[in-house]
Amino acid sequence: MTATDGPSANGGGPGGGEARDASAVDGDFAGPRRGDTVAAVVRQWQAVHPGLDTGPMEIIGRINRCAALLQQAEDAPLRRAGLSRPEFDLLGALRRTGHELTPGELARETFSSGAAVTKRLKQLTERGLVERRGDTRDRRVVHLRLTEAGRELVDGILPAQLAYETAVLSGLDGPEQGELAALLGELLTQLEGRLGALRS
């Protein structure tokens, strides 16, 4: 296992740590830790390969571990509303752009595949949160917009979701959060521009 591995199906993560469940995440987020699971994995690799540069592992491994823990914990306000994060992202894209979007545009807005968007839209449409309108000039094109119920749901959830995310980040003070946001923004910009070239 490397430091970039996520948790296993039984909740274990790098270093064999056990993930917290969703109810635990609703509680106390603050408090420093003496060492995270990735640090333990890095120490193990350094013992096996003393000359190995583990710097990238210490960054990518922690990003992946944080993402995995957040996915396991889920988002409490969304869970209570019966929504997954990807479903809320679709609703949020329709709300924040303020106009109709095609499925392809929604896929680009939410960084999702077309097949995944189609599946989620079917569920959201059946719940009465999204409605479809055919294009008057091209029958192959579908336009999507929120229903009144969809707008009310998004507007009702967003403040609670932001409060939840604030609690998740409460262990970092304001300047630390700003610095982290800037660094992650820089990394994301580079990846969005260069990841295709790295894969080729």
Side-chain angles (χ1 to χ4, degrees):
M1 176 179 287
T2 69
T4 57
D5 288 334
S8 62
N10 64 3
E18 197 166 300
R20 300 167 63 188
D21 62 21
S23 61
V25 174
D26 289 340
D28 181 18
F29 295 98
R33 296 181 58 187
R34 294 189 178 183
D36 57 48
T37 53
V38 173
V41 172
V42 168
R43 286 194 297 270
Q44 291 169 345
W45 277 118
Q46 289 174 339
V48 175
H49 293 289
L52 196 66
D53 179 10
T54 57
M57 185 183 295
E58 296 179 42
I59 297 172
I60 303 300
R62 287 187 171 97
I63 291 174
N64 285 346
R65 179 63 173 156
C66 286
L69 287 173
L70 289 171
Q71 288 170 2
Q72 283 188 342
E74 300 180 357
D75 299 273
L78 304 185
R79 188 173 64 252
R80 288 193 291 269
L83 290 172
S84 67
R85 161 61 73 169
E87 289 172 338
F88 183 71
D89 286 345
L90 287 180
L91 297 176
L94 289 169
R95 185 69 175 106
R96 62 184 163 77
T97 56
H99 55 77
E100 295 179 343
L101 296 173
T102 66
E105 290 169 337
L106 269 176
R108 289 190 292 273
E109 284 285 338
T110 58
F111 311 104
S112 304
S113 69
V117 167
T118 298
K119 180 180 178 181
R120 292 165 192 152
L121 284 173
K122 182 177 184 295
Q123 297 167 338
L124 295 171
T125 301
E126 290 173 349
R127 289 185 59 179
L129 302 175
V130 174
E131 58 186 7
R132 305 160 63 93
R133 180 183 65 81
D135 192 281
T136 56
R137 293 175 295 179
D138 188 343
R139 293 183 179 180
R140 297 169 298 178
V141 178
V142 174
H143 300 275
L144 301 149
R145 61 188 174 191
L146 290 178
T147 63
E148 184 63 32
R151 286 191 293 274
E152 290 179 358
L153 182 62
V154 173
D155 290 348
I157 289 176
L158 188 58
Q161 181 63 20
L162 288 173
Y164 172 83
E165 292 173 0
T166 297
V168 169
L169 297 171
S170 62
L172 301 175
D173 62 26
E176 288 174 329
Q177 291 186 31
E179 182 179 0
L180 179 59
L183 290 171
L184 289 174
E186 178 62 27
L187 176 61
L188 181 58
T189 298
Q190 292 185 27
L191 290 177
E192 287 177 339
R194 296 168 50 197
L195 194 54
L198 291 173
R199 286 177 173 171
S200 61

